[in-house]
Amino acid sequence: MDGSYQPNEDEFLSVEHFTLSDEMSEAVRDPIRVIPYQKEDDSFPEIKAIFVGKSVKVNGTETFLVAFQRFRKERYISPRGCNLFFPNHTFYRQRNFGISILDRLTATITEENCSFPPSSLLGRF
């Protein structure tokens, strides 16, 4: 499967029997134990995706509910550029490194299915 595939408006792509990696499952169960994002050799590592989720146990069976957003390089906020923000009706320049997160999902995992809905059905979070 190509990670850049985008379903058409009339398609709903779903991967059945999808299993999260052990690292992702642990990150959802206990996010405090995740290694902090930090510089390596004076630069930040590339971000491939951002996800949030929760672990649900019912009758001794654990399932995960996870929402993913594919991350694109152009959403980095670099301290080298001119990044203007507009709080309280005034623009100000931000000089720190950051990222911009959209309010649309790329994929969701519920129980054992990973779904990639068409853009018209992508939920806001």
Side-chain angles (χ1 to χ4, degrees):
M1 184 177 106
D2 181 352
S4 65
Y5 176 77
Q6 294 293 318
N8 293 326
E9 292 299 317
D10 61 345
E11 290 182 300
F12 192 94
L13 177 64
S14 182
V15 179
E16 296 179 354
H17 308 294
F18 184 86
T19 304
L20 285 177
S21 69
D22 291 339
E23 293 85 3
M24 291 181 74
S25 299
E26 283 303 315
V28 170
R29 282 186 199 111
D30 190 4
I32 297 296
R33 295 183 62 191
V34 173
I35 297 170
Y37 184 72
Q38 57 191 2
K39 285 185 177 182
E40 295 175 0
D41 299 325
D42 205 35
S43 65
F44 286 98
E46 182 180 5
I47 298 172
K48 303 274 185 178
I50 297 169
F51 70 96
V52 296
K54 69 178 182 175
S55 168
V56 179
K57 287 188 181 181
V58 176
N59 297 329
T61 301
E62 181 180 37
T63 59
F64 293 91
L65 304 172
V66 181
F68 289 89
Q69 183 178 103
R70 183 173 171 231
F71 191 81
R72 298 174 189 254
K73 291 180 184 179
E74 64 269 13
R75 294 198 341 239
Y76 281 107
I77 299 173
S78 170
R80 291 182 290 255
C82 183
N83 302 303
L84 301 176
F85 293 84
F86 190 66
N88 302 320
H89 306 290
T90 303
F91 283 102
Y92 77 95
R93 182 175 180 194
Q94 177 58 263
R95 297 173 194 267
N96 296 322
F97 171 81
I99 61 174
S100 172
I101 299 173
L102 300 178
D103 62 352
R104 300 261 180 201
L105 301 177
T106 303
T108 59
I109 294 176
T110 55
E111 297 180 10
E112 291 185 350
N113 293 315
C114 181
S115 300
F116 301 86
S119 59
S120 64
L121 296 177
L122 289 174
R124 292 184 179 268
F125 63 97

